Amino acid sequence: MSEISVGRPVLEANQKLAQENRARFRRAGVRALNLISSPGAGKTTILEQTLQRLGGRLAMGVIEGDIQSTEDAERVARCGAPAVQIETRGACHLDGAMVAGALEGLDLASLDLVIIENVGNLVCPVEFDLGEDMKVAVLSVTEGDDKPAKYPVLFKEAGVLLITKLDLMPYIDCDLERIKKTCRQLNPAQRVFELSSQTGQGYDQWVDWLIGWAQDRA
Amino acid sequence: MHEMSLAQSILDIACQEAARHGAGRIGRVNLLVGKFTHVAPSQLAFCFDMIKKGSVAEGAELAVTLVPLAARCPACGREELLDEPGFICPGCGEQMQATQGQELWIDSIEVEDQGPAGEAKA
């Protein structure tokens, strides 16, 4: 037996595809976000609400990832955004190859921003770069204030945290400060927005930030 | 269950490296896994054992070395091994950068010296 030194990342094949996606976004002057949460946190509702409030100030396209069904892409398309659905047929996360395929269905030249909605899952999607500029974590208050401590990798990697369903706070036992404190420990530079799609709380700030970020392509 | 796709990548890379070096069967794949990843070594080994059959890695063991999480403060230079993930410098309060603990690397493979075609090791 002899030992051969390898020194190669396990995910190098995905990394290469993600870098190609990233270059493609950059050439087209498009910024990209990778939206990650558990199932039912409200990712698609956030996209709908965001599109309605953008009012054409930003040309936004959407890539929807689900294990099955095209319902989410249809919901987003009804808000007027070009949307492509990826059905992973069992896979628990999107990867660089799936996003490369989906990009064939989007006219990047006409867009400023692409939001990729990952498969609902706080674990697997974090390991797979898609070529995005930034990960955005979504956490609904009904999931509990312990989630950032239990799934720290996502909450560290995410440049933005969207805390959703704030209108339900009177009915549940959730310590918002604990969520924010844990996330500060993991990523002090993270931007946090507190949202309610029912009352509209926080959306003006989030949408203003999004427009500023998407237009800053330096 | 992303361990299956990881196991497939590990198998692909290990077999490529063995072929590239004209090596024979792979006896062991040495993997570095950071503690600050969502990779479960036992599930990974289970998946690897399922898919390795029929390849040059059929008899290979997947040996995982866990790498602890460590961070360094760019402001004051303080270095910490972290049992719990927290990236605010206990010395000066600045944001620390992880220096290890996020690895997912094939470090090396252990192989029989002679390849199937009998060529010498590169």
Side-chain angles (χ1 to χ4, degrees):
Chain A
M1 281 286 183
S2 61
E3 187 167 1
I4 298 172
S5 176
V6 177
R8 287 169 63 179
V10 172
L11 286 170
E12 62 177 18
N14 182 69
Q15 203 59 42
K16 184 167 174 286
L17 291 165
Q19 288 296 2
E20 286 169 14
N21 292 343
R22 190 166 280 118
R24 206 161 156 184
F25 285 128
R26 206 150 282 171
R27 274 196 306 276
V30 172
R31 303 210 83 186
L33 293 174
N34 180 359
L35 200 58
I36 302 176
S37 79
S38 53
K43 293 185 295 301
T44 313
T45 303
I46 288 173
L47 293 179
E48 290 173 322
Q49 295 282 331
T50 301
L51 281 164
Q52 284 164 16
R53 285 172 171 82
L54 277 174
R57 285 180 287 171
L58 207 59
M60 174 175 142
V62 174
I63 296 173
E64 282 287 347
D66 278 294
I67 289 178
Q68 201 161 335
S69 114
T70 56
E71 187 174 332
D72 281 2
E74 289 159 16
R75 280 174 61 184
V76 169
R78 279 197 289 275
C79 298
V84 178
Q85 180 77 50
I86 299 171
E87 287 181 274
T88 66
R89 297 287 167 190
C92 50
H93 58 270
L94 296 180
D95 62 28
M98 294 179 200
V99 169
L103 286 178
E104 296 301 318
L106 282 180
D107 176 23
L108 286 184
S110 67
L111 298 175
D112 303 308
L113 168 72
V114 169
I115 299 188
I116 306 163
E117 181 184 331
N118 220 310
V119 178
N121 181 335
L122 290 176
V123 180
C124 313
V126 191
E127 305 286 346
F128 292 82
D129 186 7
L130 306 179
E132 73 273 9
D133 293 297
M134 187 188 281
K135 290 181 176 50
V136 174
V138 179
L139 176 66
S140 58
V141 291
T142 51
E143 291 167 64
D145 49 33
D146 54 354
K147 291 304 168 290
K150 288 185 174 175
Y151 301 90
V153 181
L154 169 62
F155 293 96
K156 175 185 187 297
E157 295 299 318
V160 169
L161 168 64
L162 303 178
I163 306 176
T164 62
K165 308 190 189 179
L166 262 286
D167 52 287
L168 296 178
M169 282 299 284
Y171 311 106
I172 56 172
D173 185 16
C174 172
D175 181 351
L176 208 52
E177 280 313 308
R178 182 180 175 205
I179 292 174
K180 290 193 272 189
K181 188 174 171 217
T182 310
C183 288
R184 252 196 320 275
Q185 288 286 329
L186 291 167
N187 182 352
Q190 188 173 65
R191 296 290 304 249
V192 182
F193 297 94
E194 297 172 27
L195 305 180
S196 164
S197 298
Q198 293 299 313
T199 67
Q201 177 187 343
Y203 268 98
D204 287 344
Q205 292 90 325
W206 153 243
V207 170
D208 284 349
W209 178 87
L210 187 64
I211 292 170
W213 178 81
Q215 288 172 343
D216 174 25
R217 296 193 190 89
Chain B
M1 250 305 274
H2 58 306
E3 273 74 11
M4 188 54 95
S5 41
L6 299 181
Q8 187 64 54
S9 301
I10 293 166
L11 183 66
D12 292 346
I13 293 172
C15 292
Q16 275 170 25
E17 289 288 331
R20 197 161 71 86
H21 289 84
R25 281 187 296 229
I26 303 171
R28 198 173 153 101
V29 178
N30 293 308
L31 193 71
L32 293 178
V33 176
K35 283 191 174 172
F36 198 64
T37 62
H38 286 304
V39 177
S42 61
Q43 281 184 31
L44 196 56
F46 178 80
C47 294
F48 184 76
D49 287 345
M50 270 171 51
I51 59 172
K52 70 186 182 183
K53 293 185 180 66
S55 75
V56 293
E58 173 145 12
E61 174 202 358
L62 187 66
V64 175
T65 302
L66 285 174
V67 183
L69 177 63
R72 185 178 185 279
C73 177
C76 72
R78 183 166 174 151
E79 295 188 37
E80 292 277 328
L81 267 180
L82 304 173
D83 291 328
E84 295 287 328
F87 296 88
I88 295 175
C89 177
C92 71
E94 287 296 312
Q95 182 172 5
M96 302 178 87
Q97 308 295 331
T99 51
Q100 61 171 58
Q102 295 179 292
E103 295 78 359
L104 186 50
W105 281 77
I106 300 183
D107 190 35
S108 65
I109 55 175
E110 294 171 33
V111 294
E112 289 176 358
D113 291 330
Q114 285 299 106
E119 67 259 78
K121 192 183 156 216

